[in-house]
Amino acid sequence: MKRIYKTCIAFILAVALIIIYMPAEESYASGSVTMSAGYCGGPYYERTVLSSGDLQSGTYTYTVINSGGSVSVVTATGRKLSSIISATGISSGSISQLRFKTSDSGSGYYNSYSVSTLLSNRYYYPNLPDNYADGALIDSAAAKKGALPVDTILAATTEGMTNRPYRLMVGQTQPLEQTANMCAYGVVAIDMELTGEPVLSLSQLDSTLEVGKTYTLTLTVGAYDSALEEDIKADVTWSSDNESVATVDSSGNVEIVGAGSATITASYAMKNKTVTATASIVKAAEGGCGSS
């Protein structure tokens, strides 16, 4: 009886250890991928959020060579990256970089790729495994024979390599291209860096303004679309270079507090650049009170 009891205890402990040390890959399955857009290194603004169910749209096959020189045939279920981008309302031609954050990349990015790199012509080489050894092609023509175009996708599941959801899957541009390091897994966010930069402009006030009155400046933002324009407006900061003459609040309301001149500036700070717009207030004279 004691032997049976000890055996049961040992079994329970073994199961507990297995559960404790089991890799937490399935945690990705209940997660999501946030697609955001912005300029010049950010900030980036959310456009859509994808769940695992949003990626169950097709099955694709890839040949993948890793840094160790071995080749695998991988079957993945996922959604075309081009379709995912389109769902955000952003044209792929307006994106310069796609920046991928993964569950273990911390506050930084796993990697960044140009849209042309990921959406260029890529292939699955079904004859590559039989014509590849020790990092070299045995028969180049045979390896290339029967090559099939394959789309870059974000995969929900993969077979042929470790099955970790939210994995970027890319085809090869030629049979010896190593793509395993591009196949980021556990993707939690994709930041789309747009080409160009936003443009700010401010309405101008009359040259002579009355002390004691409040005037409103109108800020116009030129960006990819109206949604992004509103996001940028919310992050604009306002300042006056002479607060003894004019002060400004976060909505662009300018109060004239003294005679003189001042410049009101609306600024939008990005990681790699700041854009501004200015309005000049000159010859402010002593006058009435109240607000317009």
Side-chain angles (χ1 to χ4, degrees):
M1 191 68 175
K2 288 184 178 180
R3 182 177 296 176
I4 295 174
Y5 175 78
K6 289 180 179 179
T7 301
C8 290
I9 294 296
F11 176 77
I12 292 170
L13 289 173
V15 170
L17 288 172
I18 290 171
I19 293 172
I20 291 171
Y21 291 103
M22 185 180 292
E25 294 172 7
E26 293 305 313
S27 62
Y28 302 126
S30 60
S32 59
V33 180
T34 302
M35 302 288 298
S36 303
Y39 295 91
C40 302
Y44 296 96
Y45 303 97
E46 182 181 307
R47 303 288 293 199
T48 190
V49 178
L50 303 170
S51 67
S52 179
D54 296 320
L55 305 181
Q56 307 278 354
S57 61
T59 301
Y60 306 82
T61 305
Y62 302 84
T63 36
V64 178
I65 297 178
N66 63 31
S67 57
S70 62
V71 60
S72 302
V73 175
V74 180
T75 300
T77 299
R79 182 174 175 180
K80 293 179 184 179
L81 185 60
S82 58
S83 170
I84 291 172
I85 293 172
S86 179
T88 69
I90 302 288
S91 166
S92 59
S94 299
I95 303 171
S96 61
Q97 293 280 319
L98 291 171
R99 307 187 184 280
F100 292 81
K101 289 183 179 179
T102 64
S103 57
D104 56 3
S105 63
S107 59
Y109 294 102
Y110 171 83
N111 216 332
S112 300
Y113 304 102
S114 68
V115 170
S116 59
T117 294
L118 294 179
L119 300 186
S120 61
N121 294 331
R122 291 182 171 273
Y123 301 91
Y124 157 54
Y125 294 94
N127 294 309
L128 178 59
D130 293 332
N131 292 278
Y132 177 88
D134 301 324
L137 296 178
I138 299 169
D139 185 328
S140 178
K144 295 178 181 178
K145 187 176 180 179
L148 299 171
V150 64
D151 292 291
T152 297
I153 69 168
L154 192 61
T157 61
T158 54
E159 295 180 10
M161 64 192 310
T162 306
N163 182 24
R164 287 172 174 160
Y166 304 111
R167 185 190 283 274
L168 180 69
M169 290 300 305
V170 299
Q172 297 171 281
T173 56
Q174 47 86 12
L176 285 178
E177 182 183 16
Q178 294 183 2
T179 54
N181 64 330
M182 296 177 67
C183 297
Y185 64 83
V187 174
V188 295
I190 302 175
D191 290 340
M192 302 175 288
E193 181 163 316
L194 303 176
T195 57
E197 62 189 49
V199 177
L200 307 186
S201 60
L202 279 178
S203 61
Q204 299 297 310
L205 301 177
D206 294 336
S207 59
T208 302
L209 306 172
E210 294 184 27
V211 173
K213 283 195 172 184
T214 297
Y215 304 83
T216 299
L217 291 170
T218 300
L219 171 67
T220 302
V221 176
Y224 182 84
D225 59 14
S226 59
L228 199 52
E229 289 169 357
E230 292 303 312
D231 286 330
I232 290 171
K233 277 185 181 181
D235 281 343
V236 164
T237 57
W238 297 80
S239 62
S240 169
D241 71 343
N242 190 349
E243 293 191 342
S244 65
V245 173
T247 61
V248 62
D249 66 15
S250 60
S251 298
N253 298 311
V254 179
E255 182 181 0
I256 308 303
V257 295
S261 63
T263 298
I264 303 299
T265 301
S267 302
Y268 176 63
M270 296 164 284
K271 182 177 180 180
N272 301 324
K273 189 171 186 177
T274 297
V275 293
T276 61
T278 60
S280 297
I281 298 171
V282 296
K283 299 179 181 178
E286 299 288 352
C289 59
S291 60
S292 65

